[in-house]
Amino acid sequence: TEDVDFSPKFNVILTTKNPAAKLTPDLCSRVTLVNFTVTPESLQSQSMSIVLRSEKPELEKQRANLLKLQGEQNVKLRELEEQMLREISA
């Protein structure tokens, strides 16, 4: 690793739509988490995560992996759409 000088006023804001995102304890101790996603769907998803985590942890892991994969595929889809539009317009 390499140390980098930075201003104490420097801030980074990261967002995700993944309700199952997990942060390490080390990261949680250095950041402020704000959850703005309060919709019926997000509440249902969060409740399902809590229940599955306590009753069927393996199923919750599969669910979290599927949500991660879905997010990655959405990003790839957007990249492919943008590439296709660039090629069409060239």
Side-chain angles (χ1 to χ4, degrees), residues 12-19 21 23 32-37 75:
V12 174
I13 299 173
L14 304 173
T15 64
T16 181
K17 291 184 179 181
N18 180 356
L23 302 175
T32 301
L33 300 175
V34 181
N35 183 355
F36 289 109
T37 56
V75 169

Side-chain angles (χ1 to χ4, degrees), residues 7-73:
S7 169
K9 295 179 183 179
F10 178 77
N11 288 316
V12 174
I13 299 173
L14 304 173
T15 64
T16 181
K17 291 184 179 181
N18 180 356
K22 294 184 181 179
L23 302 175
T24 63
D26 180 49
L27 184 60
C28 287
S29 69
R30 294 183 282 154
V31 299
T32 301
L33 300 175
V34 181
N35 183 355
F36 289 109
T37 56
V38 181
T39 63
E41 293 82 14
S42 69
L43 290 174
Q44 181 181 15
S45 179
Q46 290 174 19
S47 298
M48 187 181 302
S49 280
I50 292 168
V51 171
L52 284 176
R53 201 173 318 134
S54 67
E55 297 199 9
K56 296 194 178 195
E58 275 304 311
L59 191 56
E60 171 56 21
K61 284 181 186 177
Q62 287 179 345
R63 181 179 173 279
N65 289 336
L66 286 173
L67 286 171
K68 180 181 177 185
L69 181 61
Q70 181 182 18
E72 291 169 353
Q73 289 175 342

